[in-house]
Amino acid sequence: MEATKTLSRNKGVVRETRKWLCMPYGVFLILFIILPILLIFYYAFTDARTGAFTLGNFAALFEGDSSVTTFKVIGQSLGVAALTTVICILIAYPIAYILANSKWNKNIVLVYLFLLPMWINFVIRTIATKQLLIFFGLDPALHPWVCSIIGMVYNYLPFAILPLYNTMLKLDKSQIEAAADLGASPVQVFFKTIVPMTVPGIVSAATMTFMPTMSSYVITDALSGRTITLIGGQIENMFLNGAQQDLASVYAVIMLALIGLSVVFENLFSEKKGAR
Amino acid sequence: MKKSALILGVSALISLGGLASCGGSKADVVLTVYNWEDYIYEGTDEKGNIVGESAIESFEKKFFEDTGKTIEVKYVTFDTNETMYTKLSKNLVKCDLVCPSDYMIQKMQSEGMLESFGYDKTTKKYTEGLNNVNNNTSPYIKDLFDSNNFSDFAVPYFWGTMGYTYNTEYVSQEQVSTWDFQWNPGNDLKGNSLKKKITIKDSVRDTYFTAVMHVYKDETIALKEQHEAGTLTDKAYNDALSEIFNRHDTETLAKVKAALSELTQNVTLEVDEGKSDMVRGNIYANLAWSGDSVFSMDEAEAAAKPVTLAYEIPEEGSNVWFDGWCMPKGANVEAAKAFLDFLADPEVAAKNMEAVGYTSPIAGEAIWETVKDWYEADPEEYSEEECDECDLSYFFEGTLPEGEEAKILIPTEERGRQFDAQYPSEETINRCAIMKDFGAEGNAALYKMWNEFTASF
């Protein structure tokens, strides 16, 4: 009797301690995720001098000459992100297929080879990429777009390969064989069985590359001589040059919205496929 | 669960330990110094090996010898004026000494953030302490500080100019002797286009002034001619140039904006890679601070494929900048002054200058010997005809032992290189102006224009 009592009391203590152990995560969540987002919205919707609520910061970015700059920066960001995503998937798809097929990839050495660059910091890799491109006669100053996209694709390719590779591993081989046996041409087999089965992989590869490329700007800065300005770079400029937190925050809100949109798209897509 | 509890406990202990060591110091006095990265002698050689006592350690010893009190110097660093300003004004860093640049000193002073050093404008001396600063600072720097009203709130630490670093194999001195170079780069010496082989700074004020000097070229050249003809004194010339240099009215901004938009076809932007790009031969000209230029020239000579770089300050006029020590309100004045006086000892200044690569505002024998050691022509290698005699008396006047003249023989083929970048001639320095703060509204308009420019490529 006495023993069970202490035991249950101990259980209560354990439960209490467990609760407390969650505290650091709660604090982390509030300090580093919720608070910063609230701050972004606060700066974006208030006047820097008076602190009163205003939509003037949005207006400042979208009126007259400023709107040209704003649309250009957003357009370039979307352009770089979309181009990188499409090229990454086009390159990653066959690679993932080959890697997932044990005929070609007896041990997983090949997979590691493709993932190897991820283990080295991307800033260092980008400096090396610049020197390499110059060595091959592609001067980033003269071909900023080509060089930037090469750098971006190189950096984000593993993010596209990995989800595709994972889906390809689970491909239902019998379906492919059945399609071939029933007279489908290789092209038909590919589009009627393999592609539909790998849609979840394509969708997650697309988000895995699109979202980080949207907000990244270090690679394009280095490989375009800072001539391609993306949203991230513009936010940095606005902070460094005279602490224009309000305008920088408007950009951050826009970026959050764009990323939010791409998440919504991803969910829509995968749900549809899942329901099928 | 147990494991995570353990980790939590350990990390909590570590952080507690960290806090404790912050709170209590065994020293009698604590002096917090907030400085640029890599901006003091750390007792190491180029490869980072410890070879001697760092400037800070020497100061701690000297302070104990002089006062009988122990002192602990806490050394914190920053990377741009703007981050430093944000951290200080938001009280994220508390320090006794900080080392901002000219326009930032002006801004902090106008906002009442700084403590006075006690400067007497009539005798042009600091009244209490700072004897080394009084005695060893170059007369040129003293005047510069005095005439711009910086002396009471700032003690100079390093200074320099801005100009082009260029690759002599591809670019001639004549091409970079004018800011027009950015607008009409033309061809290199091998006949290829120089477009996009030039980088300028992704730093508002530095690139802005090059455009101002360009759009008001008629005025600056007219001033230069008057000065050369002797109808304008050095001071009047520099004052007039300063006025143009710091223009930021609406009309100037519009003109500069138009001028900058023409640049997008010719240049790319950088803040830090310019040095290595010059050394590797990726680009042929780079808008650069004099100290960075000296660094590039040294590196380029030592590179596996040696490259000859040189430095030129365009004729329209350029910027002379400096970083100075300031005391934020509430600083420990006595300890701060002791530290600055220690830094103004020519022996210490020479070591710092050697480690940092920028030019010290301190004159005096130790510095002069260092300069001669670095740059003076070796009589066995060069005859007198192959050398130029350079006169640095504007800088060293009154600080050298009696009978010693501040004249130095420099090999003609070495002109326009490290020596001239570090110690510009009096003639060059006459056409270099100080950057002034544009005030809140001026800055806002400037930044807006700048953000549009950087995105317009």
Side-chain angles (χ1 to χ4, degrees):
Chain A
M1 194 64 194
E2 196 61 27
T4 42
K5 241 184 189 171
T6 28
L7 199 69
S8 63
R9 205 185 297 141
N10 274 349
K11 257 189 187 163
V13 172
V14 169
R15 208 164 287 140
E16 266 309 288
T17 351
R18 281 189 186 175
K19 215 171 168 186
W20 282 107
L21 281 175
C22 292
M23 278 295 285
Y25 304 108
V27 171
F28 177 86
L29 209 69
I30 292 170
L31 276 184
F32 295 110
I33 298 171
I34 296 175
L35 200 66
I37 291 181
L38 287 179
L39 276 177
I40 289 174
F41 278 93
Y42 174 78
Y43 282 125
F45 289 100
T46 53
D47 189 289
R49 284 186 199 163
T50 59
F53 174 82
T54 176
L55 289 173
N57 299 328
F58 283 83
L61 282 190
F62 288 100
E63 69 190 0
D65 284 356
S66 304
S67 67
V68 179
T69 307
T70 311
F71 282 121
K72 186 170 182 184
V73 169
I74 295 174
Q76 282 181 346
S77 299
L78 288 173
V80 168
L83 261 173
T84 309
T85 308
V86 170
I87 297 174
C88 273
I89 289 176
L90 285 181
I91 298 177
Y93 200 89
I95 295 176
Y97 187 76
I98 292 168
L99 292 180
N101 199 320
S102 51
K103 206 170 27 175
W104 291 298
N105 188 23
K106 287 238 163 52
N107 35 40
I108 45 169
V109 173
L110 266 179
V111 179
Y112 276 104
L113 269 182
F114 276 101
L115 299 184
L116 196 68
M118 274 172 82
W119 298 346
I120 301 157
N121 180 281
F122 80 102
V123 179
I124 299 170
R125 257 184 294 145
T126 306
I127 296 170
T129 310
K130 182 178 168 187
Q131 226 30 50
L132 203 67
L133 289 173
I134 290 174
F135 178 76
F136 289 129
L138 256 181
D139 188 342
L142 294 172
H143 309 282
W145 277 91
V146 177
C147 292
S148 296
I149 296 294
I150 290 178
M152 289 291 246
V153 169
Y154 168 49
N155 266 281
Y156 289 97
L157 192 59
F159 292 92
I161 293 180
L162 215 53
L164 283 170
Y165 170 69
N166 279 333
T167 346
M168 303 265 189
L169 278 181
K170 290 177 237 143
L171 273 188
D172 186 355
K173 296 272 160 47
S174 48
Q175 213 186 95
I176 302 170
E177 279 165 23
D181 287 349
L182 292 171
S185 69
V187 178
Q188 280 173 317
V189 170
F190 180 74
F191 283 107
K192 298 265 170 181
T193 65
I194 301 181
V195 170
M197 281 195 281
T198 51
V199 162
I202 297 174
V203 172
S204 70
T207 21
M208 289 278 277
T209 43
F210 188 80
M211 289 203 285
T213 44
M214 258 288 297
S215 55
S216 110
Y217 62 98
V218 175
I219 299 167
T220 44
D221 264 3
L223 295 176
S224 76
R226 294 194 177 222
T227 56
I228 299 177
T229 305
L230 303 184
I231 296 181
Q234 193 70 345
I235 292 176
E236 188 202 16
N237 286 341
M238 291 185 149
F239 260 97
L240 291 186
N241 293 332
Q244 299 163 280
Q245 290 109 323
D246 41 357
L247 297 186
S249 298
V250 172
Y251 267 111
V253 168
I254 294 171
M255 194 158 81
L256 274 176
L258 289 172
I259 289 176
L261 267 180
S262 62
V263 174
V264 170
F265 270 118
E266 189 204 3
N267 285 343
L268 276 181
F269 239 93
S270 25
E271 260 169 42
K272 233 193 225 163
K273 293 292 151 190
R276 224 184 196 182
Chain B
M1 185 53 77
K2 251 186 186 167
K3 207 174 173 188
S4 60
L6 188 73
I7 293 169
L8 276 175
V10 170
S11 54
L13 272 176
I14 292 171
S15 56
L16 271 179
L19 281 177
S21 68
C22 279
S25 168
K26 282 177 218 122
D28 299 331
V29 188
V30 176
L31 181 77
T32 310
V33 177
Y34 196 25
N35 196 7
W36 295 87
E37 283 162 17
D38 303 323
Y39 222 40
I40 197 163
Y41 176 60
E42 283 166 352
T44 53
D45 63 10
E46 295 114 46
K47 291 186 185 105
N49 302 315
I50 294 174
V51 290
E53 201 174 50
S54 74
I56 303 251
E57 285 163 351
S58 314
F59 168 70
E60 288 174 340
K61 272 189 193 161
K62 186 169 182 302
F63 189 85
F64 182 70
E65 281 164 20
D66 291 351
T67 62
K69 285 188 225 162
T70 52
I71 188 165
E72 187 198 332
V73 177
K74 278 195 192 144
Y75 193 72
V76 196
T77 59
F78 59 87
D79 56 0
T80 67
N81 277 307
E82 282 70 22
T83 35
M84 178 278 301
Y85 172 79
T86 313
K87 287 195 177 164
L88 271 192
S89 58
K90 296 210 175 357
N91 266 325
L92 297 173
V93 169
K94 276 200 83 69
C95 66
D96 300 292
L97 277 174
V98 62
C99 190
S101 308
D102 32 42
Y103 71 99
M104 189 51 81
I105 296 176
Q106 206 189 356
K107 182 179 161 89
M108 290 166 75
Q109 180 193 338
S110 67
E111 290 172 13
M113 288 169 75
L114 302 179
E115 193 83 57
S116 157
F117 279 106
Y119 178 77
D120 185 345
K121 216 165 157 59
T122 47
T123 58
K124 298 198 172 182
K125 278 189 187 317
Y126 294 98
T127 45
E128 252 173 79
L130 299 177
N131 288 328
N132 278 335
V133 178
N134 281 335
N135 298 335
N136 301 323
T137 307
S138 153
Y140 164 69
I141 302 284
K142 268 192 199 166
D143 280 350
L144 194 73
F145 264 57
D146 186 78
S147 59
N148 285 286
N149 294 320
F150 280 115
S151 311
D152 199 23
F153 295 94
V155 171
Y157 186 46
F158 279 109
W159 71 286
T161 56
M162 194 148 200
Y164 286 119
T165 309
Y166 64 100
N167 189 325
T168 54
E169 201 185 322
Y170 293 90
V171 179
S172 70
Q173 189 186 5
E174 203 195 325
Q175 283 176 295
V176 286
S177 68
T178 162
W179 296 117
D180 284 347
F181 180 60
Q182 282 165 212
W183 279 268
N184 301 302
N187 286 348
D188 65 23
L189 298 174
K190 304 200 166 167
N192 299 315
S193 168
L194 272 169
K195 279 193 175 174
K196 297 276 171 182
K197 287 289 178 191
I198 305 165
T199 58
I200 58 174
K201 291 271 171 256
D202 188 0
S203 156
V204 186
R205 292 296 303 266
D206 297 303
T207 293
Y208 175 76
F209 91 74
T210 64
V212 172
M213 295 322 247
H214 174 72
V215 296
Y216 292 116
K217 183 170 181 168
D218 294 346
E219 285 182 54
T220 57
I221 295 297
L223 286 171
K224 187 176 185 246
E225 279 162 3
Q226 285 174 37
H227 177 244
E228 275 164 5
T231 49
L232 260 186
T233 63
D234 289 355
K235 193 179 177 324
Y237 174 45
N238 194 269
D239 286 349
L241 209 60
S242 253
E243 184 272 317
I244 300 174
F245 182 92
N246 285 299
R247 274 184 201 166
H248 59 278
D249 51 282
T250 330
E251 194 197 332
T252 307
L253 276 179
K255 281 184 181 167
V256 166
K257 192 179 175 187
L260 286 178
S261 70
E262 293 166 28
L263 279 184
T264 54
Q265 297 303 313
N266 303 342
V267 302
T268 58
L269 302 174
E270 60 88 28
V271 273
D272 218 23
E273 310 102 75
K275 286 175 279 183
S276 62
D277 276 342
M278 284 300 298
V279 173
R280 295 200 184 106
N282 293 345
I283 53 169
Y284 302 143
N286 168 224
L287 178 64
W289 293 286
S290 52
D292 279 3
S293 188
V294 172
F295 177 86
S296 313
M297 287 184 243
D298 289 346
E299 290 279 301
E301 277 168 26
K305 272 198 291 176
V307 175
T308 310
L309 305 180
Y311 179 72
E312 179 74 13
I313 298 174
E315 58 172 350
E316 292 95 333
S318 184
N319 172 224
V320 53
W321 56 263
F322 57 82
D323 295 329
W325 290 109
C326 300
M327 291 188 291
K329 280 263 150 72
N332 181 339
V333 178
E334 212 168 303
K337 279 187 173 178
F339 184 64
L340 297 188
D341 215 38
F342 169 78
L343 291 181
D345 179 333
E347 301 272 348
V348 179
K351 266 191 183 168
N352 277 334
M353 185 161 109
E354 193 159 1
V356 174
Y358 281 91
T359 314
S360 173
I362 301 298
E365 206 185 350
I367 297 277
W368 180 239
E369 290 304 323
T370 311
V371 173
K372 283 208 286 193
D373 183 41
W374 285 348
Y375 298 119
E376 196 166 40
D378 181 357
E380 282 175 21
E381 218 181 308
Y382 298 96
S383 68
E384 259 185 58
E385 291 80 55
E386 291 170 308
C387 294
D388 290 352
E389 192 184 53
C390 297
D391 187 355
L392 288 182
S393 50
Y394 83 92
F395 191 82
F396 284 94
E397 199 181 1
T399 61
L400 297 182
E402 217 142 298
E404 175 111 29
E405 271 192 287
K407 285 183 181 163
I408 182 170
L409 280 180
I410 303 289
T412 312
E413 60 183 36
E414 288 294 315
R415 292 307 305 281
R417 306 200 60 229
Q418 283 97 330
F419 171 76
D420 286 276
Q422 268 205 313
Y423 288 98
S425 66
E426 194 173 3
E427 187 199 325
T428 312
I429 218 74
N430 277 331
R431 61 170 196 268
C432 290
I434 288 220
M435 229 174 241
K436 297 197 172 140
D437 182 33
F438 288 172
E441 264 172 43
N443 283 335
L446 176 66
Y447 295 143
K448 182 170 176 290
M449 188 270 288
W450 180 252
N451 286 334
E452 282 168 16
F453 164 65
T454 53
S456 73
F457 278 83

